Every structure is written in C-alpha cells, then in structure tokens.
Amino acid sequence: MKQFFGAFFGSIVGLLITGVIMALIIGAFIAAGLKGALSGIDEEKVITVKENSVLHLKLEGPISERGLDNPFEELDLGPFMPEGTLGLRGIVKAIEAAKTDEKIKGIYLDIKDLQAGFAATQEIRDAILDFKKSGKFVYSYSEIYSQKAYYLASAASKLYMNPQGGMELKGLSVQLMFFKNMLEKMQVEAQIFRHGKFKSAIEPFMLDKMSEANRLQTETYLNSMWGSMLQGISEQRGTSIDKLNELANNLSIASPEDALNNKLVDGLLYEDEVMNLLKKDLKLKEKDKIQFAEISKYEKKNRGGSLKGKLGKKPKMALIYAVGQIQGGEGDDETIGSDRIAKAIRDARLDTTIKAIVMRVNSPGGSALASDVIWREVVL
C-alpha cells in the first residue's frame, strides 16, 4: 500500500513540475511575441533594403484582404510556427513603393500556389503593369501555372516555366449540383422564400437544372471574366484573342513545349537558370548572391510606422474591411460581425478628423438582420 501511495503521489508531483515548466516555456514565447509586436513601430529602422535588390514576390498560400502579422515570426518554432497572412493591400502598396525605390531593380514573381480570387489577382496584376512603366524588369517563374496564375504571370516582362511543369488553359466554367429529386425521394419538402428570378442560390433545392435566368447571368459573368483575361494575355503576350480561344477550346497546351511553341512562355528553364538570367540583368558575377527583398518584410518597411503619429488631427480617410459571411455579434477577421463593423463605422462617423470611409467588402452574404444593423450605420 505504501508503494502504491508513493508512486501515486510521485506521479502527481511529476505532473505538477511538468506543468510548471511548460507554463514557463509558453510564457517565455508569449513574452517574446509581445515584445516583437510592441516594437513593430520601429521595424522600418531594422528592416533595410540593400543596393541592387530584387523584390521577391512569392505567392504561396491564401492572400487575404488584410494581412495579419505573426508576432512570433522571429522565433524558430519549427513545425509549430504560426504563420502570418499576406494581405492584398500590403502587396499592392509594396509594389507601388518598389516602383520608385532606387534600390529595387526589378521584381521576381515566384508563383508557388496562388490562392486568390479573380478580383485580388487583377489588383496585383494591375500593380505589376504599373510597376513596369518605371522601366524595371519583372521575371515570372513557376513549375505549374494554373489558369489564374498564368493570367497574373502574363503581366511579367519575362515569363518562364519548369521544363517538366505544366500550364492550364481551358476557359471558365461552372458546375452545379441539384437536390430536388433526392429530397422528393426522402419526402423532404423545402420551404423556400425568394424575391426575383435571378436569386438563384436556392435553385438546387427546387429545380433539377439551371433556370434560364440563372444560365443567363452565369454565362454573362463568366464570359465577361474570360474576355477580360484573354484581352490582358493578348496585349502582353502578342497572341490574338482568337488564337487563345482556339488553344483553350482544343485543350492544346498539354505540355511545356506546347506553351513555348505557342509563345505563351519565353523559355523552359529550371530555377537556377532563371537566377543566372537575373544575375545578368543585375550585372552580377556567376558566384555573386542576388539580394532579394522579401515581400512580407518590404511591405512592413513601407508602412510608414504609426499612422496616428504621422497624421495627428489632419483630415483622413477610414478604411474598413468587411470580409467573410455576415452574421450577428462580434465576428472576427474571417467573418463580418454586425457589432464589430457597425462600431467601426460609428467610430469613424463620430471622429471629426475622418472625412470619408472606404469599405472593402468581400462576402458571399449572410444574415439579413446583421446586414440591416450595418446598413443603419452606413445611412447615418
């Protein structure tokens, strides 16, 4: 019995000691993170751009409307490292800053995995086209170009692809699933309320195919988007729209060689070969190292520090992000909470130094009641 209680209490003491040690370790991480976050306003003093640098625009992972910093990014936590998110506005502002930055000689567009909507892709592409007006180069490289990624990359002055890579060019389409017959077999009757024949979100529960109204609106926006993409690619690559449509309709780009032969890319190269071309443009020797300015750090450097400290009581404009599904309550960075957004609008409305509001809305919709709460503040 004594051995049992000895082992029992020994285990408890061991667990307590382990818990205390873990708490101290976590506390140290949090303290380090807070220190990094609190020193954020001095980051432009720490982050420097060397002469003859290239802005490294690496697109890998989701691009949000507004970037979120990772206060632990200076710590090496291995696989447990929490990641910050790349913000659309930050990317665009960084490209704009690089245009007039004498230390930046060009952009290396490194597309790993583009996760952005067509509107965000278009904004980045427009920023790159504007950057090129400075006379600086833009190199694009990827192992695999999705259709959207290729549209973005077509803005580059030089466009390269891995010799064993691939490219997607097939046009745009929509696939819908309908549940009406399944619900009937299950003897489930959907109670549907809608206004207007173009409100199509509910159609899968009441029809077994697209309505004419939904087909019309879907074809209209798809053709508009595809036409815009073709126009942009045609202007930058010197290939006619008819030719691009023919390639897409016939699924002609089945290999990297097909892309090269149809002048959709400038070369089939491995990444080290692209780096050698960059060195030539930068007038570097073969053994020299290219100075890359990473987009995440360069964006922080060009934020301009504390807005409050710079603007003071001068007239200014409020930028309010409304991203995600609309719902009641506080919400978060991924949802539009009516309380949170309404408060942001109200604070801006009552601030006499704010003369206008820009709302960036990226949402599939949601609660009508929550929308009405936000609407009221907009009216006011």
Side-chain angles (χ1 to χ4, degrees):
M1 185 63 71
K2 290 182 179 180
Q3 290 180 340
F4 169 77
F5 282 112
F8 176 74
F9 288 113
S11 299
I12 293 177
V13 172
L15 288 173
L16 288 173
I17 293 174
T18 302
V20 170
I21 293 173
M22 291 300 296
L24 290 173
I25 293 173
I26 293 172
F29 283 147
I30 293 174
L34 288 174
K35 182 179 178 182
L38 292 172
S39 63
I41 58 173
D42 295 323
E43 280 184 303
E44 68 260 32
K45 297 178 182 178
V46 178
I47 300 172
T48 58
V49 178
K50 297 182 179 180
E51 296 287 346
N52 208 31
S53 291
V54 175
L55 180 62
H56 187 191
L57 180 49
K58 184 177 180 180
L59 301 179
E60 183 177 29
I63 297 175
S64 61
E65 281 287 329
R66 176 177 56 183
L68 299 176
D69 289 337
N70 169 23
F72 299 101
E73 62 187 350
E74 299 301 326
L75 299 175
D76 184 8
L77 302 180
F80 303 103
M81 172 65 73
E83 296 183 357
T85 57
L86 206 55
L88 173 60
R89 186 167 184 268
I91 293 173
V92 172
K93 297 296 286 185
I95 296 173
E96 290 175 354
K99 179 182 177 182
T100 56
D101 190 336
E102 294 181 355
K103 294 181 179 180
I104 299 292
K105 304 303 180 183
I107 291 177
Y108 176 48
L109 181 57
D110 183 10
I111 304 178
K112 301 292 187 184
D113 179 23
L114 179 62
Q115 295 182 34
F118 278 101
T121 302
Q122 184 68 57
E123 284 203 49
I124 298 172
R125 190 177 191 274
D126 289 343
I128 291 174
L129 290 174
D130 181 67
F131 173 88
K132 286 170 60 180
K133 293 178 183 178
S134 66
K136 301 178 181 181
F137 63 80
V138 179
Y139 276 48
S140 177
Y141 176 78
S142 182
E143 296 175 359
I144 298 176
Y145 284 107
S146 67
Q147 195 162 241
K148 194 187 302 178
Y150 178 71
Y151 174 59
L152 172 60
S154 67
S157 43
K158 291 293 183 180
L159 201 164
Y160 300 105
M161 182 169 66
N162 186 286
Q164 303 301 319
M167 178 185 293
E168 180 184 55
L169 189 69
K170 60 180 183 180
L172 301 179
S173 63
V174 163
Q175 289 183 317
L176 299 178
M177 184 177 293
F178 294 87
F179 313 110
K180 177 177 178 290
N181 293 337
M182 179 193 73
L183 293 176
E184 288 179 350
K185 292 177 180 179
M186 296 173 63
Q187 296 183 344
V188 173
E189 180 182 356
Q191 299 295 318
I192 296 170
F193 300 87
R194 74 166 181 170
H195 176 73
K197 60 184 179 180
F198 289 99
K199 299 291 287 184
S200 59
I202 203 68
E203 284 191 359
F205 299 97
M206 57 183 289
L207 302 175
D208 56 10
K209 62 180 180 180
M210 293 179 74
S211 68
E212 289 304 313
N214 191 23
R215 181 177 295 277
L216 173 62
Q217 67 181 357
T218 303
E219 289 181 349
T220 299
Y221 74 71
L222 283 179
N223 288 332
S224 175
M225 292 166 63
W226 179 239
S228 179
M229 292 175 66
L230 290 181
Q231 183 69 35
I233 295 171
S234 175
E235 290 174 355
Q236 297 302 313
R237 298 302 305 174
T239 303
S240 71
I241 291 177
D242 288 340
K243 178 64 174 178
L244 291 171
N245 258 324
E246 179 185 338
L247 294 174
N249 290 337
N250 296 326
L251 299 177
S252 300
I253 310 302
S255 68
E257 288 74 19
D258 293 332
L260 181 63
N261 293 336
N262 287 284
K263 301 179 180 179
L264 298 181
V265 298
D266 295 305
L268 304 178
L269 304 175
Y270 290 99
E271 190 168 22
D272 63 284
E273 296 175 304
V274 176
M275 292 299 106
N276 289 334
L277 292 178
L278 272 175
K279 289 179 181 179
K280 289 182 179 179
D281 268 349
L282 295 169
K283 296 181 173 55
L284 297 176
K285 296 179 181 179
E286 185 177 348
K287 294 184 179 180
D288 290 340
K289 184 178 180 181
I290 299 174
Q291 298 295 335
F292 282 114
E294 299 299 330
I295 184 70
S296 58
K297 294 182 179 179
Y298 188 76
E299 183 267 331
K300 287 180 183 177
K301 178 184 180 300
N302 288 280
R303 284 181 192 172
S306 171
L307 282 177
K308 185 176 181 181
K310 285 204 165 190
L311 294 177
K313 295 183 179 181
K314 294 180 180 179
K316 48 188 176 285
M317 186 170 358
L319 176 59
I320 297 176
Y321 291 88
V323 180
Q325 186 167 328
I326 304 169
Q327 62 186 38
E330 185 65 19
D332 52 36
D333 291 322
E334 302 298 328
T335 58
I336 302 175
S338 58
D339 290 351
R340 188 185 196 190
I341 301 299
K343 182 180 184 301
I345 299 171
R346 183 164 56 253
D347 289 346
R349 170 168 61 86
L350 298 176
D351 187 335
T352 57
T353 65
I354 292 179
K355 303 304 180 183
I357 294 175
V358 171
M359 285 190 69
R360 288 189 65 101
V361 183
N362 186 351
S363 171
S367 166
L369 175 57
S371 300
D372 193 66
V373 171
I374 298 171
W375 169 87
R376 175 61 180 171
E377 284 298 331
V378 174
V379 171
L380 293 174

